[in-house]
Amino acid sequence: MRVRTWRPRAAAAAVLCVLFGSAYALHEENAEISSADPHASHVMPSAVPVAVTQAAPLPTKGWTATADSYPTTAGRVIDGNAGTIWRTAPTKLPHMIIIDTHNRIALSGLTYLPATDSASGRIGRYEITISDNGTTWSTPIATGTWADDKTLKTVTFGTRITRLVRLRALTEAGNRNTSSSASEISLLGGTDPALARTGWTASADSQETAAENGRAQNVLDGNTRSYWHTQYTGASPALPHRLTIDMKKRYLVSGLAYLPRPATSANGRIGRFTIETSTNGVDWGNPVSSGAFADSAVVQSRTFTPRIARFVRLTALSEAGDRGPWSSAAEITVLGRTDPSLARTGWVATADSQETAAANDRAQNVLDGNASTIWHTRYAGTAPKLPHWVTIDMRKAQGIGGLTYLPRPAGSANGRIGRYQIYTSVDGTTWTARITEGGFPDNSALQTVVFPAVTARYVRVRALSEAGGRGPWSSAAEINILGPSGSVAPGSGSFSAPVGFPLVPVAAAQLPNGKILTWSAFQPDSFTGGYGQTVTATYDPKTGVVTQRTITATGHDMFCPGISTLPDGRILVTGGNDSDKTSIYDPATDAWTAGPAMTTPRGYQASATLSDGRVFTIGGSWSGGHGGQNGTPHKNGEVWSSDGGWTALPGTDVVPMLTGDADPNGDYRKDNHAWLFAWSGGSVLQAGPSRAMNWYGTSGDGSTTPAGTRGDAPDQMNGNAVMYDTGKILALGGSPDYQNSTATTNAYVLTINGVNNGVTTRKVGSMANARSFANSVVLPDGKVAVFGGQGYAVPFSDNASVYAAELWDPATGKFTTMATASVPRNYHSVALLMPDGRVFTGGGGLCGTGCDTNHFDGQTFTPPYLLNANSTAATRPVITSAPSTALNGSKITVKTDSAVTKFAIVRMGTATHTVDTDQRRLSLPPTTITGGYELTIPADAGVALPGYWMLFALNAKGVPSVAKVIKIG
């Protein structure tokens, strides 16, 4: 969920048609800030163009609304007047209001404006469901808790097609009474997400390379300041101009977003245009969209009927202001999703007619994967009359949502299907029309047809005419059936419906009681404007309840802190906006207390719990002064202990771990977010993000020992690293500079070879997508899941977002693309492993009220090990008996309800700013004993750190149990 300050009702031009979004998001920029401003040492948000349009409210003409209480006034929520209020009687909760659009619409979200006349009835916890008939309702597509304030609330989720939307109010936000109220409720139009562009290429009929770098490839670099421009030195070629995007593989494409060049010059802004798609770069077919872009610097989008394509071509027919024969673009983004074509193994095709005398043109050819072989109705002798049909038997009933039709090769047009119908059946006897009449153009390009998801075994295409009127024939080279749009692909996991939070969860900690503690800053949506307090929210995954609380007792704004889990389960939070402060949260008492001040003020530092229970921290020049500048010393390390507070360690030198960031302000961007791994004897390995790695000793005054470099890796700021097994670390992603920097796909395995020894580096398979600001989480089976991030690092921007998760397998060293999230997760997002083996992901933004990249929500990722091939829940082993505590080096007995083959412990994580120094996974090889299994806890407290861990048992299929929480040390 996110909060915006747009007007309660703004018209959208059409569903899945033309969307105009906000022109700018915020990112961090170095600027002169008055020293009177308490945030003077911080980099403040500034504008960056948005490269993808945001969903807009749909027009409400013809809509109606009803409610469980005072239904005759429910229509006030869609009247466009914030001064008119719907309010229920103070009867028992929950209350509900239903909006009927009287048509099937594409829906991607909902906005809720609380009553403007009173706080009474503000909705707290909520639930959103959808229906096509008002009788059968979906499971919730979004749940959560809204803050008790008057700002506009926004819930976003993956695009759904529906007629009715129901909002259920489960609680009153301030627990003042049992009524519910609203001024306005808007439904947001839906589009597919922006596709990640890693590895894509762009080409054009013309590009300027003499006077500037105006190459076509610039439209894919994520940098809104670079752009493609046609040649203007010498003779400028005449319009039209063509820009072609090669996505390198097929996607189901449904839209294109065009960001004009920066507003400093309007030359080349595209006016009239066409958009075409192709699977091979040769056969383009008819335009999928045409029209004219406005003469504006604001991003503009066009959506169209989804189609399978590898290539997308934007043709500029005119210059928007008639300033010259040029064309230009800063960014081109393609909307869509992965190719949902189903595997055709074992399928059978039949037809009413097929040519077998003059040629082998049998119906089965449409399933052979060879575009040069075709099905053709009989033409030798007397050709049978139209209509004709071809039927695909998929051999089992399954979910489908469309098909693709590839006409015969271009050498002959005979038999191309013109008008058509599509039917489905589960038994081959009773048929249901899915497309009552459509029409394919008379060309050789691949054609895509989508329809609402259904379950079927048989699909029939009925040809009513020949596209060119050449004869009574029908033909096809290939027919593919598409899975339902957005369906769960086997082996890819799945994301839950979004859960709304009353804040942007910028920091998070997994608690031993199963709940997740999150917080933002002084405000729920901004990190500027005050000090001395922190807005928190605790999420209970079992109940779905999110509870908000503002912490003032410690006088600490805990934005951009170091976080460490102590041996007794308490959470130590240091620095940030209040840069010298320490706060401690105790989940046992649900209480916050103030700790001692640090010796060095810090923000963006990392901290790590040591083998003896102390906490080490280093760096952090985002706040408290820029190290190495204007008399502020470099921010060397210090250590906290429960009995002695903070002690400086001058021997732990931060300089060897500084990155080469281009920022000129001392260590401001160079000493941030260290990848710290506590190890034996109170030591700490700093594994990144600088390419140089170092060992830090914490005895006496501390020590610094080089540990080598990460192979060929450059600095990887805002990448991350996770220990997936004893002494084995996966490091991935990031970019050389903190911002305005291109991210990498590279990944490396680091092996610890003993304290103060060099670390071995091995490059492994690359991610499919370049990512900065991503989060990585180790799973019970040792695989590492990667979430979110963007291909070009810009804080507070969702440009170049990566929606699809990836999963790294240590057995193969390769990444596999997983399911796609419905919300981007970039700067200020988090991810944590939960005790049930799923992963919580959330947040992003915190750039002030109305900022489009504020994400007041989270989603839960279910890894593929919890799903069967048909997407049903896998049967899980159960740990029936395990101790709640264990000492290092001790043996423990664990019992399960069924046979298991592996055990692992994963330390409970804490996360902020891509850093989680608490999570690590250790394999515990089992010994089978009578009645159970014997496990040995590592004797080295630097390996099995003191604190709370999650103990998982895994069966032979790799399915993990729900964890038993165990306190080690």
Side-chain angles (χ1 to χ4, degrees), residues 883-892 905 935-941 944-947 966-969:
S884 59
T885 62
L887 297 176
N888 290 97
S890 66
K891 296 183 184 297
I892 63 173
I905 52 174
L935 312 176
T936 301
I937 304 298
D940 190 339
L945 292 170
I966 181 170
K967 182 176 180 289
I968 294 178

Side-chain angles (χ1 to χ4, degrees), residues 62 81 167 172 181 289-290 303 325 346 368 423 426 508 533 570 575 640 654 707 746 754 900 913 935:
N81 183 356
L167 172 63
E172 204 270 358
S181 62
S289 180
S290 62
T303 56
D368 66 0
Y423 296 83
V426 294
Q533 69 176 36
R570 292 180 299 160
W640 173 91
V654 74
N746 289 347
V900 297
H913 292 79
L935 312 176

